[in-house]
C-alpha cells in the first residue's frame, strides 16, 4: 500500500486534491478540468482513496469525490519536526 507521502508526490494527484478543496466533484468534471481520460482520473482517485485523502459518496448514478484533509496532519507533523 502506498503512503500518503508517495500519493502526494504525483502532480496529477495534487491537482485533483486542489480541485476537491474547492468542492466535491464527479469523475466526469475532473476529467474535463484535467484533460485526462476517465480511466486515468479513476486510477488517481483510487490511490487517493486508499491513503484516506478522498472520500466517495454515491448519489443515484453519480459518485461524488470529496477531500478528507484529516490525513494531512501526518504531513503537517512531519514538516514541524
Amino acid at each position: 500500500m502506498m503512503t500518503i507521502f508517495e500519493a502526494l508526490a504525483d502532480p496529477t494527484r495534487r491537482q485533483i486534491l486542489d480541485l476537491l478543496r474547492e468542492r466535491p466533484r464527479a469523475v466526469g468534471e475532473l476529467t474535463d478540468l484535467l484533460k485526462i481520460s476517465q480511466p486515468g482520473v479513476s486510477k488517481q482517485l483510487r490511490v487517493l482513496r486508499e491513503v484516506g485523502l478522498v472520500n466517495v459518496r454515491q448519489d443515484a448514478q453519480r459518485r461524488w469525490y470529496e477531500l478528507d484533509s484529516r490525513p494531512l496532519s501526518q504531513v503537517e507533523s512531519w514538516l514541524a519536526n
Side-chain angles (χ1 to χ4, degrees), residues 2-71:
M2 188 175 291
T3 69
I4 191 169
F5 296 101
E6 292 169 317
L8 292 172
D10 183 271
T12 301
R13 290 191 284 265
R14 289 194 310 268
Q15 284 181 307
I16 291 171
L17 292 174
D18 282 341
L19 290 168
L20 295 179
R21 278 183 14 196
E22 297 170 4
R23 63 182 172 79
R25 297 178 190 268
V27 173
E29 185 178 0
L30 291 169
T31 299
D32 292 342
L33 292 168
L34 296 168
K35 308 290 190 241
I36 299 174
S37 68
Q38 185 274 327
V41 171
S42 292
K43 177 183 172 184
Q44 302 302 342
L45 286 168
R46 185 182 74 242
V47 170
L48 293 170
R49 279 194 328 266
E50 287 174 357
V51 298
L53 287 169
V54 170
N55 293 321
V56 61
R57 64 180 164 81
Q58 187 86 26
D59 181 28
Q61 297 298 319
R62 293 185 120 180
R63 290 182 178 195
W64 293 93
Y65 293 85
E66 54 194 359
L67 176 68
D68 184 347
S69 61
R70 290 176 295 176

